Amino acid sequence: MKVLYFAWLRSKVGIGEEEVAPPPEVSDLGALVAWLKTRSPGHAAALADMAVVRAAVNQDYAGLDHPVKAGDEVAFFPPVTGG
Amino acid sequence: MIRVQREDFDPGAELARLTAGNTAIGGICLFVGLVRDFMGEAAALGDEVRGMTLEHYPGMTERQLEAIEAEARRRWELEGTLVIHRHGRLEPGDRIVLVAAASAHREAAFQACHFLIDWLKTKAPFWKVEHTAAGDHWVEARASDETLAGRWEG
């Protein structure tokens, strides 16, 4: 599973992209967030308040109950500010 | 058509290309967004912005812009649409974004253009870092942008 971080989340995690293999019980975005937060203090800081984080699975917006599986591309980022 | 690019664009040339050969078009509404030189709501209250850098999510950006464009074409009878969004380092006065809608009649063109920019601002994965004398900071999303996008829901 590929996980991407953008904007200030990337700064906090310290990397923009990583390949991860969470255990099988990590089957939705919420569980993935909880598991990622155990990987480093940077991950924990970036994902501390999910109210200010948006997520996408395979390049579409997704809520915390969205399923995730091996091979997915998951991204975490702040609310968008383009235009 | 959508384009995500680092380079500047020429609104006049884009408009000419959008309408070339299609005499069913009766009107085009075209919006161009520029980099302002101040943060926040008013020039007098904000810090001077020396420039900004736009980051995006390659792949998802194109996917979301295409979905927004398709939604506009589903809602209004349009003869053409164009969305161009830049990324990378930009200076005050630079063009950031162009959205355009062409239709037989002006009302569809105005509404579709307005819809395109409102949805783009809340759905397309771009993030701005502003460079000011006090340092760099990530621009925060505005609740008012969500409100403006929300008027097109339903």
Side-chain angles (χ1 to χ4, degrees), chain A residues 2 4-11 16 52 54-62 73-83, chain B residues 33 54-61 63-64 85 96-97 117 120-128 138-142 145-146:
Chain A
K2 184 156 88 171
L4 306 172
Y5 306 97
F6 292 95
W8 56 258
L9 277 100
R10 184 186 58 247
S11 310
V52 295
R54 299 289 176 269
V57 175
N58 298 326
Q59 305 187 350
D60 274 321
Y61 287 98
E73 178 177 303
V74 178
F76 297 101
F77 45 80
V80 301
T81 57
Chain B
L54 268 144
E55 174 182 338
H56 75 116
Y57 178 176
M60 181 170 173
T61 306
R63 186 175 166 81
Q64 296 301 318
H85 205 301
I96 305 178
V97 63
I117 191 65
L120 179 155
K121 284 198 79 94
T122 55
K123 296 179 194 294
F126 287 93
W127 303 276
K128 290 173 181 150
W138 291 101
V139 174
E140 281 193 37
R142 295 179 178 202
D145 284 334
E146 284 291 341

Side-chain angles (χ1 to χ4, degrees), chain B residues 21-79:
Chain B
N22 187 346
T23 50
I25 295 171
I28 310 112
C29 194
L30 181 146
F31 173 88
V32 177
L34 308 178
V35 179
R36 285 195 289 278
D37 68 356
F38 64 91
M39 281 162 50
E41 297 299 322
L45 301 173
D47 288 337
E48 188 189 348
V49 173
R50 294 172 173 177
M52 65 168 56
T53 301
L54 268 144
E55 174 182 338
H56 75 116
Y57 178 176
M60 181 170 173
T61 306
E62 288 82 358
R63 186 175 166 81
Q64 296 301 318
L65 290 177
E66 278 165 5
I68 294 164
E69 182 185 48
E71 182 63 20
R73 299 193 77 128
R74 192 183 68 77
R75 292 186 183 208
W76 291 279
E77 282 196 25
L78 301 173
E79 294 290 334

Side-chain angles (χ1 to χ4, degrees), chain A residues 4-74:
Chain A
L4 306 172
Y5 306 97
F6 292 95
W8 56 258
L9 277 100
R10 184 186 58 247
S11 310
K12 289 197 176 183
V13 174
I15 49 170
E17 181 177 335
E18 61 183 335
E19 215 31 72
V20 299
E25 61 268 26
V26 172
S27 62
D28 66 18
L29 260 182
L32 178 64
V33 168
W35 181 77
L36 286 169
K37 283 164 77 172
T38 66
R39 285 173 65 81
S40 79
H43 285 80
L47 301 169
D49 180 5
M50 289 304 289
V52 295
V53 175
R54 299 289 176 269
V57 175
N58 298 326
Q59 305 187 350
D60 274 321
Y61 287 98
L64 291 176
D65 57 353
H66 193 285
V68 293
K69 60 183 186 315
D72 280 349
E73 178 177 303
V74 178

